Amino acid sequence: MNPIEAALEGRGVGAPVAAALARYGRLVLEANTRLNLTAAKTPEEIAEHIADSLTLLPDLRPPYVDVGSGAGFPAIPLAIATGIEVTLIEATTKKARVLEELLGVLGLRGTVVPQRAEEAARDPRWRDHFLTGTCRAVATAAAVAELLLPLIAVDGVALLQRGRFAPSERASLEDAALVLGGAVEGERPAGGERRIVLVRKRTPTPARFPRRSGVPQRRPLCE
């Protein structure tokens, strides 16, 4: 048995889904030799990323968007596990091409948007469109909220995967969410120190957000 598949089955993932996820993991490892898609370099590390992606399943509702998709975590594992159609926003052209290849090879329904999230959120096709959004980008929670909430429909949810979550970062997220038309609804554990923070979109995000490309990460709201 493939080590990725074995690791996933050991975590309670059913055999047919584990096999499909393992195939995806092998494709990522292969692509990673040509292009730096992810810091995960071993089957065990890939399995860890896949398992972490699956912790989002209870809160997933279509239509669904993932920002800064990179190697496809968490969107592609979620698509494999559920059959849901995914929209992947990835600004790096080479990574966007790999994502398109992965969707095709794996027979998944999805669209790759080769733009920064700040640009995609100005497109009427995507703004206020999605009921669920994720972003695993290395950024503060407030910055992630600014990238996601303009894409989320009213009553939709941005799912923030976080590790250690300092009180100061949580306070900044709560303030930023209010500015963006949302509210922190709660959080739940996702294994170890990992947690998923739910930010509900309550009202339309003001038109001035997101700010120009790169600004949300450089100058996070309310920090």
Side-chain angles (χ1 to χ4, degrees):
M1 181 183 292
N2 178 277
I4 300 175
E5 185 176 354
L8 292 172
E9 287 196 17
R11 292 171 174 266
V13 179
V17 175
L21 290 166
R23 183 186 179 204
Y24 159 66
R26 292 194 301 271
L27 290 171
V28 170
L29 286 174
E30 180 184 331
N32 219 28
T33 63
R34 300 179 277 109
L35 177 67
N36 186 24
L37 289 174
T38 173
K41 307 297 183 185
T42 67
E44 293 74 20
E45 289 171 338
I46 289 289
E48 184 69 27
H49 280 294
I50 292 172
D52 185 57
S53 299
L54 297 180
T55 62
L56 294 160
L57 282 170
D59 302 297
L60 191 65
R61 286 194 297 160
Y64 161 61
V65 65
D66 181 58
V67 166
S69 298
F73 305 113
I76 291 182
L78 292 173
I80 291 170
T82 66
I84 193 173
E85 184 172 357
V86 295
T87 299
L88 310 175
I89 298 177
E90 173 52 58
T92 303
T93 302
K94 290 182 179 179
K95 291 181 180 180
R97 287 175 182 161
V98 171
L99 289 170
E100 288 178 342
E101 292 172 4
L102 288 170
L103 291 177
V105 170
L106 295 167
L108 301 174
R109 297 181 300 133
T111 300
V112 179
V113 181
Q115 290 181 310
R116 292 185 65 100
E118 298 94 327
E119 298 166 353
R122 300 289 177 189
D123 189 324
R125 292 176 298 171
W126 312 125
R127 192 175 182 92
D128 300 319
H129 177 71
F130 300 95
L131 286 177
T132 312
T134 56
C135 175
R136 294 183 89 210
V138 180
T140 68
V144 170
E146 185 174 353
L147 296 177
L148 280 176
L149 281 176
L151 296 160
I152 301 295
V154 172
D155 200 40
V157 177
L159 304 175
L160 281 61
Q161 292 179 283
R162 312 304 295 175
R164 292 183 180 180
F165 200 40
S168 59
E169 185 178 7
R170 184 183 180 87
S172 295
L173 172 61
E174 289 174 345
D175 291 344
L178 290 174
V179 172
L180 297 163
V184 176
E185 191 170 72
E187 63 181 70
R188 60 178 176 78
E193 292 185 337
R194 299 284 287 170
R195 69 197 67 201
I196 296 168
V197 182
L198 286 72
V199 182
R200 179 79 59 182
K201 178 90 164 266
R202 298 298 188 190
T203 61
T205 300
R208 66 183 183 275
F209 297 113
R211 291 168 291 168
R212 297 188 312 276
S213 292
V215 175
Q217 295 94 327
R218 291 196 305 271
R219 300 203 308 272
L221 287 172
C222 305
E223 291 191 4

Short mmCIF file of all heavy atoms in Angstrom, two decimals, residues 116 118-119 122 146-147 208 210-219:
data_model
loop_
_atom_site.label_atom_id
_atom_site.label_comp_id
_atom_site.label_asym_id
_atom_site.label_seq_id
_atom_site.Cartn_x
_atom_site.Cartn_y
_atom_site.Cartn_z
N ARG A 116 -4.31 37.42 -8.39
CA ARG A 116 -4.28 37.66 -6.95
C ARG A 116 -5.71 37.79 -6.44
O ARG A 116 -6.61 38.21 -7.17
CB ARG A 116 -3.49 38.94 -6.64
CG ARG A 116 -2.00 38.85 -6.94
CD ARG A 116 -1.31 40.12 -6.48
NE ARG A 116 -1.38 40.27 -5.03
CZ ARG A 116 -0.38 39.97 -4.18
NH1 ARG A 116 0.76 39.49 -4.65
NH2 ARG A 116 -0.53 40.14 -2.87
N GLU A 118 -6.86 39.94 -4.45
CA GLU A 118 -7.29 41.34 -4.45
C GLU A 118 -7.88 41.74 -5.80
O GLU A 118 -8.77 42.59 -5.86
CB GLU A 118 -6.11 42.27 -4.13
CG GLU A 118 -5.50 42.05 -2.75
CD GLU A 118 -4.31 41.11 -2.76
OE1 GLU A 118 -4.31 40.17 -3.59
OE2 GLU A 118 -3.39 41.30 -1.96
N GLU A 119 -7.38 41.13 -6.88
CA GLU A 119 -7.91 41.41 -8.22
C GLU A 119 -9.18 40.61 -8.48
O GLU A 119 -10.17 41.15 -8.99
CB GLU A 119 -6.84 41.07 -9.27
CG GLU A 119 -5.56 41.89 -9.14
CD GLU A 119 -4.42 41.30 -9.95
OE1 GLU A 119 -4.58 40.18 -10.50
OE2 GLU A 119 -3.36 41.95 -10.02
N ARG A 122 -12.51 41.92 -7.29
CA ARG A 122 -13.12 43.05 -8.02
C ARG A 122 -13.93 42.56 -9.21
O ARG A 122 -14.63 43.34 -9.85
CB ARG A 122 -12.02 44.00 -8.52
CG ARG A 122 -11.17 44.61 -7.42
CD ARG A 122 -11.94 45.61 -6.62
NE ARG A 122 -11.16 46.16 -5.51
CZ ARG A 122 -11.67 46.92 -4.56
NH1 ARG A 122 -12.96 47.23 -4.58
NH2 ARG A 122 -10.92 47.38 -3.58
N GLU A 146 -9.40 39.81 5.08
CA GLU A 146 -9.57 40.83 4.03
C GLU A 146 -9.50 40.21 2.64
O GLU A 146 -10.15 40.70 1.71
CB GLU A 146 -8.53 41.93 4.17
CG GLU A 146 -8.75 43.06 3.18
CD GLU A 146 -7.84 44.25 3.36
OE1 GLU A 146 -7.08 44.30 4.37
OE2 GLU A 146 -7.85 45.14 2.49
N LEU A 147 -8.73 39.15 2.48
CA LEU A 147 -8.66 38.48 1.18
C LEU A 147 -9.91 37.66 0.90
O LEU A 147 -10.34 37.55 -0.25
CB LEU A 147 -7.42 37.58 1.14
CG LEU A 147 -6.07 38.28 1.24
CD1 LEU A 147 -4.95 37.24 1.26
CD2 LEU A 147 -5.86 39.25 0.08
N ARG A 208 -14.40 49.47 -0.89
CA ARG A 208 -12.96 49.80 -0.86
C ARG A 208 -12.08 48.61 -0.50
O ARG A 208 -10.85 48.70 -0.58
CB ARG A 208 -12.69 50.95 0.10
CG ARG A 208 -12.93 50.64 1.56
CD ARG A 208 -12.69 51.90 2.41
NE ARG A 208 -12.82 51.67 3.83
CZ ARG A 208 -13.98 51.70 4.49
NH1 ARG A 208 -15.10 51.94 3.82
NH2 ARG A 208 -14.02 51.50 5.80
N PRO A 210 -11.13 44.41 -1.06
CA PRO A 210 -9.80 44.47 -0.47
C PRO A 210 -8.99 45.64 -1.03
O PRO A 210 -9.28 46.13 -2.12
CB PRO A 210 -9.15 43.14 -0.88
CG PRO A 210 -9.81 42.81 -2.18
CD PRO A 210 -11.22 43.31 -2.06
N ARG A 211 -8.01 46.04 -0.27
CA ARG A 211 -7.13 47.12 -0.72
C ARG A 211 -6.21 46.62 -1.83
O ARG A 211 -6.30 45.48 -2.26
CB ARG A 211 -6.34 47.66 0.47
CG ARG A 211 -7.20 48.42 1.48
CD ARG A 211 -6.46 48.67 2.78
NE ARG A 211 -6.24 47.43 3.51
CZ ARG A 211 -5.41 47.33 4.56
NH1 ARG A 211 -4.73 48.39 4.96
NH2 ARG A 211 -5.27 46.17 5.19
N ARG A 212 -5.33 47.48 -2.32
CA ARG A 212 -4.46 47.14 -3.45
C ARG A 212 -3.64 45.88 -3.17
O ARG A 212 -3.37 45.54 -2.02
CB ARG A 212 -3.49 48.29 -3.76
CG ARG A 212 -4.16 49.58 -4.20
CD ARG A 212 -3.13 50.60 -4.68
NE ARG A 212 -2.02 50.73 -3.75
CZ ARG A 212 -2.03 51.50 -2.67
NH1 ARG A 212 -3.12 52.19 -2.36
NH2 ARG A 212 -0.96 51.58 -1.89
N SER A 213 -3.21 45.24 -4.25
CA SER A 213 -2.46 43.99 -4.13
C SER A 213 -1.27 44.14 -3.19
O SER A 213 -0.46 45.06 -3.33
CB SER A 213 -1.96 43.55 -5.52
OG SER A 213 -3.04 43.18 -6.33
N GLY A 214 -1.20 43.23 -2.24
CA GLY A 214 -0.10 43.20 -1.29
C GLY A 214 -0.33 43.99 -0.03
O GLY A 214 0.30 43.73 1.01
N VAL A 215 -1.24 44.95 -0.06
CA VAL A 215 -1.47 45.81 1.11
C VAL A 215 -2.08 45.04 2.29
O VAL A 215 -1.66 45.25 3.44
CB VAL A 215 -2.34 47.04 0.74
CG1 VAL A 215 -2.68 47.86 1.98
CG2 VAL A 215 -1.61 47.90 -0.28
N PRO A 216 -3.06 44.14 2.06
CA PRO A 216 -3.60 43.41 3.22
C PRO A 216 -2.54 42.67 4.02
O PRO A 216 -2.62 42.61 5.25
CB PRO A 216 -4.60 42.44 2.58
CG PRO A 216 -5.03 43.14 1.33
CD PRO A 216 -3.80 43.82 0.82
N GLN A 217 -1.54 42.10 3.33
CA GLN A 217 -0.49 41.37 4.04
C GLN A 217 0.52 42.33 4.70
O GLN A 217 0.99 42.07 5.81
CB GLN A 217 0.26 40.44 3.08
CG GLN A 217 -0.61 39.32 2.52
CD GLN A 217 -1.23 39.69 1.19
OE1 GLN A 217 -1.55 40.85 0.92
NE2 GLN A 217 -1.40 38.69 0.33
N ARG A 218 0.83 43.43 4.01
CA ARG A 218 1.82 44.35 4.56
C ARG A 218 1.28 45.19 5.71
O ARG A 218 1.99 45.49 6.66
CB ARG A 218 2.36 45.29 3.46
CG ARG A 218 3.21 44.63 2.40
CD ARG A 218 3.99 45.65 1.61
NE ARG A 218 3.15 46.69 1.02
CZ ARG A 218 2.59 46.59 -0.19
NH1 ARG A 218 2.80 45.51 -0.93
NH2 ARG A 218 1.85 47.57 -0.66
N ARG A 219 0.01 45.59 5.59
CA ARG A 219 -0.61 46.44 6.60
C ARG A 219 -1.97 45.87 6.99
O ARG A 219 -3.02 46.39 6.59
CB ARG A 219 -0.76 47.88 6.09
CG ARG A 219 0.55 48.54 5.71
CD ARG A 219 0.44 50.07 5.75
NE ARG A 219 -0.68 50.59 4.98
CZ ARG A 219 -0.62 50.90 3.68
NH1 ARG A 219 0.52 50.71 3.02
NH2 ARG A 219 -1.67 51.37 3.04
#
